Amino acid sequence: MRYAASERLRHPARVVAFGFATAIAIGTALLSLPLATETGHRTGLVDALFTATSAVCVTGLVTVDTGGHWSTFGEVVILALIQAGGLGIMTLATLITVLVAGRLGLRSRLLAQAETKLLGLSGIRRVVRNIVLFSLLSEAVVAAVLTVRFAVGYDQSWGRAAYQGVFHAISAFNNAGFSLHSDNLMRYVGDPWVCLTVAAAVIVGGLGFPVVFELARSWRRPAMWSVVTRITLGLTIALLVLGTVVFTAVEFANPRTLGALEVSDRVLAGFFHSVMTRTAGFNSIDIAALHPESLFATDLLMFIGGGSAGTAGGIKVTTFGLLAFVLWSEVRGEPAVNVGRRRVPETNHRQALAIVLLGIGAVAASTFLLLALTRHSLDSVLFEAISAFATVGLSTGITFDLPPAAELLLVGLMFLGRIGPLTVASALALRRRTRRFELPEERTIVG
């Protein structure tokens, strides 16, 4: 029995996949009940499965209107699935980090523990407790702000305002993108209280637990930051600014998106959309009305995603940033990749490359199949595939028109996108082996 348990722990991919699959199965069963719909009729199995997968994988893609189709019971089930998926991915990512550290050599473990303050095996309970408390406290603050705004600014009853505030707070912090409104958050496009509060929750949830807590401990001492924090924070700020500038400039005169708004509201909407491309899935403008340049920029930002060990998806900014440093070092002819005062080992280079190639392959294959299964354009299909893989939830509106086979394909893509990068990275780290001999070296032509 001990041996079997040890073998399961050596393969965290199995634990992660089984946990998420179990949550999806339970969610599908609950959403299939007549009690879960406003009409009292059963939801089709594919739609129930799609919604449960989208909620657990904190994606936000939907095949039915969340606020109109599901009853209060159904909405609470979706909310519980979002919370379980968000907490689950942060906790599992952190615990797998601990497991990986346990398989490292003594010197590497000591260096890692000194750098992150999280990798001691005796501190697992404290880490999990802090993750849960941090998540619930963040959601409570966001819910309070939204509740007051909905009640005071939109004349909603305090009960209704509180319900909507809690729902959107949990959805935002977990980067899920589910909304109770048929137009998502488009009715709040010029409301900074709603948009900036939701955006702040998305950013904090997407940074990742290790980064947030390291910043809380040593925000005045940037020289002490780990490589993960340096890359995550630097790229997050850079991509948010770049996205805001690009979207605002490209859509500034588009009457179907930003053109009809006041100048200040255009900047707010551009910033909000830039934040949401980091796998949050809310939208305050019509995604289908975006110019092709904006759609392409959104594709890129969605694929990159957010921080590691957070609620965001994508290949992660740490992966993208690390490959950028690898490229820069290669261009300069440097033998090692250095970030700040740290040298990044070659194993991390291979892990980052594997995750990127996995993502490109999954998106490419899914786009090809979706083109074969539907009659939608390449722009729309590619956007949908990236949104599903990166667990974003933004859509040009084709999700409602997809056939069952295409919906099932997106279910698999959301599942792969949620657990794929994490499990691949951990599996590669845990499979590290020592070779007792080396084969003769032969250089090949590259490029």
Side-chain angles (χ1 to χ4, degrees), residues 77-145:
V77 170
I78 292 174
L79 204 61
L81 294 176
I82 293 172
Q83 186 73 85
L87 284 175
I89 198 66
M90 285 194 295
T91 304
L92 287 170
T94 304
L95 295 183
I96 285 176
T97 302
V98 175
L99 180 59
V100 170
R103 294 288 300 277
L104 299 176
L106 176 60
R107 182 173 180 274
S108 299
R109 291 179 64 183
L110 291 176
L111 288 174
Q113 185 172 3
E115 196 168 285
T116 64
K117 309 293 192 301
L118 288 176
L119 301 183
L121 295 177
S122 61
I124 291 180
R125 289 186 179 180
R126 176 177 57 84
V127 170
V128 174
R129 181 197 64 197
N130 288 343
I131 290 175
V132 174
L133 291 178
F134 169 69
S135 300
L136 295 180
L137 179 61
S138 300
E139 292 167 355
V141 172
V142 175
V145 175

Side-chain angles (χ1 to χ4, degrees), residues 87 124 167 199 246-247 288 360 369 374 390 399 410:
L87 284 175
I124 291 180
F167 188 97
V246 169
F247 295 132
I360 293 175
L369 292 175
T374 69
T399 315
L410 290 184

